[in-house]
Amino acid sequence: RYKVYSMLANNSAYIKALRSGSIWWQDVNLGSVHDSETLTRIPHCLTFGGHESVFKWKVYYKWLELHQAPPEAKKPYIVDLWRQIGFQERYVWRCEVSVNGSNALRTLDNKVIKPFEWYDERVRLFQDIYSDKFIVRANEGHKDKRNDKVLPFLELNGSRSVRHALPSSSRDDSDPERRLTCKLWKELQQPDTRCNKMLTDVIRQSLCELLQRPNNVWVLQRMYGVEFEDITRELAE
């Protein structure tokens, strides 16, 4: 896992359809607790997803965070729980997801995910969101990113169970971002545009930024009948 994590840190791997965010580096003692001379520079925290992304991910060295916390914030009960289930506390990392605007998400059959359901079903929901959204691929330079090798990370079995709801009261022509998203998508489908690699790359880069916002994804689904997988495939070519 740490090998794949290191590849994400040095850009030889990436998360499908998500931008890499901040990387925090630190000199960490990975040897004996009392051996202050054994220091290794590691990326102790990686983030993925833009500011407006619905799902924002963070993978970080949880033990180090607790170890360096002030006395009033150390949370010893967490370390006690790790010990009870057999974890070696110095090797505990955490992968977490933050959900922005959870009230705008639905199950595949269009049911609202109620507030307490996020808690009661937290394990299943995390597994499903992770399996659908946190897909690690090797950065092999293929024009079609689908040919980049998928790298194993967490051993979870989930399926796609959450989607964005389509707001019934939104007007697609009243928002400049949605108008521009539609224009760029339509232009990207033109044969003469696709013959111009420089222009195509510029349009795809702009769409990648715009499609961090759910409203701009909704408008493409409404106007052109495309699914999220279609958008991801188009932008990865």
Side-chain angles (χ1 to χ4, degrees):
R1 290 191 182 115
Y2 189 75
K3 179 180 178 180
V4 174
Y5 177 83
S6 300
M7 292 175 67
L8 288 168
N10 65 27
N11 201 38
S12 57
Y14 62 93
I15 303 299
K16 184 190 78 170
L18 284 176
R19 291 183 298 168
S20 294
S22 58
I23 303 178
W24 296 89
W25 295 84
Q26 186 167 339
D27 292 328
V28 178
N29 176 11
L30 297 179
S32 169
V33 175
H34 304 292
D35 183 5
S36 60
E37 296 181 358
T38 307
L39 296 177
T40 304
R41 185 167 175 77
I42 67 168
H44 72 91
C45 180
L46 306 181
T47 63
F48 305 93
H51 180 69
E52 299 293 339
S53 298
V54 175
F55 302 107
K56 288 181 284 189
W57 298 85
K58 183 178 178 182
V59 186
Y60 63 102
Y61 195 178
K62 183 63 179 177
W63 177 85
L64 182 65
E65 179 194 62
L66 293 179
H67 180 69
Q68 295 182 334
E72 67 275 10
K74 282 192 179 297
K75 302 177 183 177
Y77 65 90
I78 293 181
V79 178
D80 289 340
L81 288 172
W82 292 347
R83 291 169 180 161
Q84 289 176 28
I85 59 177
F87 286 0
Q88 297 183 56
E89 60 195 71
R90 284 179 59 83
Y91 304 106
V92 174
W93 294 65
R94 174 179 284 181
C95 176
E96 66 182 37
V97 60
S98 300
V99 181
N100 180 26
S102 60
N103 59 336
L105 298 175
R106 300 288 187 272
T107 61
L108 293 185
D109 55 359
N110 205 36
K111 292 181 180 178
V112 175
I113 303 173
K114 298 178 181 179
F116 282 104
E117 188 177 352
W118 283 102
Y119 180 79
D120 294 337
E121 298 290 328
R122 60 192 180 278
V123 174
R124 178 187 63 80
L125 286 168
F126 179 84
Q127 290 179 327
D128 288 351
I129 292 171
Y130 171 88
S131 299
D132 185 36
K133 305 297 183 185
F134 200 91
I135 298 174
V136 185
R137 290 184 180 272
N139 196 353
E140 297 175 327
H142 291 112
K143 183 177 179 181
D144 186 344
K145 296 293 187 182
R146 290 171 296 174
N147 293 324
D148 287 342
K149 181 181 178 181
V150 175
L151 301 175
F153 193 53
L154 301 185
E155 297 174 359
L156 298 180
N157 293 316
S159 59
R160 188 186 180 199
S161 67
V162 178
R163 68 175 181 84
H164 299 126
L166 186 64
S168 59
S169 59
S170 63
R171 286 195 58 201
D172 299 330
D173 60 354
S174 64
D175 182 277
E177 283 191 19
R178 280 177 280 184
R179 290 201 307 270
L180 181 58
T181 300
C182 286
K183 289 177 180 177
L184 289 174
W185 181 265
K186 183 177 180 180
E187 187 61 43
L188 188 59
Q189 310 311 311
Q190 303 303 315
D192 53 347
T193 299
R194 301 181 80 90
C195 290
N196 187 327
K197 185 179 185 305
M198 185 276 291
L199 180 58
T200 300
D201 288 344
V202 169
I203 293 175
R204 284 191 174 126
Q205 183 177 357
S206 299
L207 280 170
C208 280
E209 295 293 327
L210 287 166
L211 293 174
Q212 295 293 326
R213 295 174 63 86
N215 282 348
N216 298 332
V217 176
W218 292 331
V219 73
L220 290 187
Q221 292 175 325
R222 171 177 290 187
M223 296 295 291
Y224 298 101
V226 297
E227 296 296 332
F228 186 79
E229 290 78 6
D230 301 322
I231 297 171
T232 302
R233 189 181 308 114
E234 179 64 65
L235 298 183
E237 290 183 357

